[in-house]
Structure formats: C-alpha cells, structure tokens
Amino acid sequence: MRNIFGAIVIDTERCKGCALCVEACPLNLLHIAVRKVNIKGYPYVEQSDEINCTGCTNCATVCPDACISVYRKRISQ
C-alpha cells in the first residue's frame, strides 16, 4: 500500500497551456482543459486524476512559468 500521496495546485490564471507538464507526468494525470480558457485567453492545464498523484514534482519542475505547486502528504499506516 502506498503511503505518500501528492497534491497538485495549478495557478490557472498564469498557465499558458504549453503542455510541458502534461508530457512530463509519468502517470498521465494532467490534460489541457477543453473549451476553458483563463483570463488571458489561454487554455490551461487541469488534473484529471487527483487520487493517483505520487507527488513526483516532474510537472512543477518543467513548468516555465512556475504555475504548479506540488505537495506531498505521508499517510501513516
């Protein structure tokens, strides 16, 4: 059983929708929003699966605008 879970927070108003984080996610948990744009008119990234994130930080590392924060939570057994 996994005891570390990740939580991703995306600043959608700063996201340009470059999709680098989508490509970097090893579990394919991110996607570009369909028919949604931020205040600047860019489609932004959304997390499609909140349960399976491991908190690897790949998405936050490749984001050129630092729009993604990743938090890890350890669950005691």
Side-chain angles (χ1 to χ4, degrees), residues 21-37:
C21 57
V22 175
E23 296 297 322
C25 181
L27 301 175
N28 298 316
L29 303 178
L30 301 173
H31 68 277
I32 298 292
V34 178
R35 290 184 248 152
K36 293 182 188 176
V37 294

Side-chain angles (χ1 to χ4, degrees), residues 1-5 74-77:
M1 180 177 182
R2 189 176 86 194
N3 64 349
I4 296 178
F5 293 88
R74 184 177 301 265
I75 306 296
S76 59
Q77 294 182 15

Side-chain angles (χ1 to χ4, degrees), residues 3-48:
N3 64 349
I4 296 178
F5 293 88
I8 299 172
V9 177
I10 302 167
D11 185 350
T12 58
E13 294 305 320
R14 292 181 46 217
C15 180
K16 295 185 297 192
C18 69
L20 291 173
C21 57
V22 175
E23 296 297 322
C25 181
L27 301 175
N28 298 316
L29 303 178
L30 301 173
H31 68 277
I32 298 292
V34 178
R35 290 184 248 152
K36 293 182 188 176
V37 294
N38 60 20
I39 198 164
K40 296 177 184 175
Y42 293 113
Y44 50 84
V45 172
E46 292 182 318
Q47 187 175 4
S48 57

